[in-house]
Amino acid sequence: MPSITSFETHDIRFHTSLTGDGSDAMNFDCDYSAATVVLHTDSSTLQGHGMTFTIGRGTDIVCMAIKEVANRLIGKDVETLFEDMGKTWDYLLADPQLRWIGPEKGIIHLATAAVDNALWDMFARSRKKPLWKLVSDMTPEEYITDAISKEEALAMLREKEAGKADREALVRKLGYPAYITSAGWLRYDDEKVARLVREAIGAGFTHFKMKVGANFEDDYRRANLIRSIIDDPSSFPVGYSPPTAESLQGKNAGPMGCVLMMDANQVWDVDEAVNYTKRLASAKPWFIEEPTAPDDVLGHAAIRKALKPDGIGVATGEHAHNRMTFKQLLQAEAIDVCQIDSCRLAGVTEILSVLLMATK
């Protein structure tokens, strides 16, 4: 059986700050980057590639942490690792000295994400399946017992088993639903926003996210600009079919079935988030994402409660450190939309536990 023999890391950076790509109210000047790892085995045909996301400076520090985590896998038999990916994930987190610089958060958790993702990639390659197919064919066992028990998780999975083939066929036919943010970066001027929204419509997108929080007048103008385009029948190609009514339920969709979302990237305190978002309510956003500090679970709950009469939801999770933070957000009924970042949570393994909790 193949064993892991070595690894390599790469610090990859793109100068997106030059064009304003990726700009938001908190991260106005960022260079989208990745800290990547390649796990090698003694089989010439088996590798695993993983990554975590950064925005420029500090990517080299993450690569240093990746080396420490990946070094724990040297000499390990891959089939033993694959046999219980939950146990393998626990092993990656189990070094007490490395855990001290977390625990399960920050740079060491970003590094673990890259390594865990590389292991899942290797697992999928070994089975000659794309990762989504590998996972959909499995029964995940990771759970958070006071939020969802192992028995509850398995019961949910078994209940959904009957329709899995139909869902897989639909994904193969249509692809996985996605929204677009790249039309609404904060530093884009109105002309570029309008052009990119129209191009996104032509590409088949129906859900659009814009960045807010730096200047209310600019946000109000841009929100209504986007709404005017996505609600205008002349913006759509001949033969356009809107999403199903069921898929749009509770999303404040316009007459063409399009949805607007907003993302403040943590720039407000609780009261400011409520007041600012209410002033944007005329643009009918589905949700406000990261309206306040990502660790403020009760703050998110208060914002959600205050915005509920306006029909605006709350989304967060991009900066939720780990499954425990998501557990608290869900238990406190603080969010309507669970926004997982697969490069901040410690890889696919931890993501599965959050998906199960969110489903419940």
Side-chain angles (χ1 to χ4, degrees):
M1 294 293 182
S3 297
I4 295 175
T5 57
S6 63
F7 59 86
E8 57 187 279
T9 64
H10 300 276
D11 176 346
I12 304 171
R13 309 189 194 192
F14 301 90
H15 298 297
T16 53
S17 59
L18 298 177
T19 54
D21 300 338
S23 55
D24 59 59
M26 178 66 75
N27 309 292
F28 194 72
D29 197 25
C30 51
D31 290 327
Y32 272 28
S33 306
T36 71
V37 61
V38 183
L39 300 176
H40 298 284
T41 70
D42 49 16
S43 168
S44 61
T45 61
L46 186 60
Q47 293 181 333
H49 296 250
M51 65 162 285
T52 192
F53 175 74
T54 62
I55 60 170
R57 286 183 295 276
T59 309
D60 52 332
I61 303 173
V62 179
C63 285
M64 292 173 63
I66 288 173
K67 292 175 183 178
E68 294 295 332
V69 177
N71 193 55
R72 292 176 60 74
L73 296 176
I74 299 299
K76 298 295 183 183
D77 174 75
V78 298
E79 289 300 328
T80 302
L81 296 173
F82 299 158
E83 188 176 283
D84 189 337
M85 289 294 282
K87 183 177 180 180
T88 297
W89 189 79
D90 288 340
Y91 173 74
L92 289 176
L93 294 166
D95 184 302
Q97 295 183 22
L98 294 179
R99 190 177 187 278
W100 185 263
I101 58 174
E104 297 188 36
K105 62 176 69 70
I107 288 172
I108 199 66
H109 219 49
L110 294 176
T112 305
V115 177
D116 186 67
N117 287 336
L119 277 175
W120 278 98
D121 179 66
M122 182 185 289
F123 192 180
R125 290 169 185 261
S126 73
R127 301 305 190 260
K128 299 187 178 351
K129 296 180 180 181
L131 178 58
W132 70 266
K133 178 61 174 168
L134 175 75
V135 173
S136 69
D137 287 346
M138 294 174 65
T139 302
E141 298 288 341
E142 182 73 22
Y143 58 95
I144 312 299
T145 55
D146 63 334
I148 180 171
S149 68
K150 177 179 178 178
E151 290 73 24
E152 287 177 307
L154 291 175
M156 286 193 299
L157 291 167
R158 291 181 184 125
E159 182 182 351
K160 293 180 178 294
E161 187 74 21
K164 185 160 71 173
D166 291 338
R167 294 194 301 275
E168 180 178 326
L170 186 64
V171 168
R172 288 182 179 276
K173 179 181 178 182
L174 300 179
Y176 196 81
Y179 65 77
I180 188 167
T181 304
S182 55
W185 296 122
L186 197 72
R187 286 172 52 195
Y188 288 174
D189 59 35
D190 289 0
E191 182 180 355
K192 186 171 184 178
V193 169
R195 174 175 59 82
L196 291 175
V197 169
R198 291 190 175 95
E199 289 177 1
I201 290 173
F205 285 96
T206 58
H207 289 54
F208 304 81
K209 191 168 79 174
M210 62 174 289
K211 299 293 185 174
V212 299
N215 179 279
F216 176 79
E217 286 71 25
D218 289 344
D219 293 343
Y220 185 85
R221 185 186 68 255
R222 293 167 71 244
N224 284 283
L225 170 63
I226 295 172
R227 177 56 79 182
S228 70
I229 296 170
I230 65 177
D231 285 354
D232 183 357
S234 68
S235 301
F236 294 78
V238 176
Y240 166 76
S241 297
T244 64
E246 181 182 9
S247 69
L248 296 174
Q249 188 174 359
K251 294 183 178 181
N252 290 332
M256 300 304 294
C258 287
V259 176
L260 177 64
M261 303 163 287
M262 297 178 177
D263 186 354
N265 291 92
Q266 317 160 31
V267 295
W268 301 319
D269 63 22
V270 173
D271 290 340
E272 185 182 12
V274 172
N275 295 331
Y276 199 112
T277 306
K278 282 180 175 288
R279 294 170 68 196
L280 292 171
S282 62
K284 298 180 181 178
W286 171 20
F287 61 67
I288 181 69
E289 182 180 346
E290 284 196 318
T292 193
D295 297 337
D296 190 354
V297 173
L298 296 182
H300 279 84
I303 294 167
R304 180 175 184 256
K305 182 178 180 180
L307 293 179
K308 198 171 185 64
D310 300 277
I312 301 172
V314 170
T316 202
E318 184 178 72
H319 283 80
H321 302 296
N322 49 47
R323 64 207 178 283
M324 286 78 75
T325 305
F326 277 104
K327 180 189 74 170
Q328 293 174 53
L329 288 165
L330 293 166
Q331 288 177 327
E333 299 183 346
I335 54 174
D336 298 277
V337 179
C338 183
Q339 291 275 48
I340 292 174
D341 188 324
S342 59
C343 294
R344 186 165 296 277
L345 291 177
V348 175
T349 307
E350 190 167 31
I351 288 168
L352 293 175
S353 65
V354 176
L355 292 177
L356 290 168
M357 287 190 291
T359 299
K360 178 183 175 181

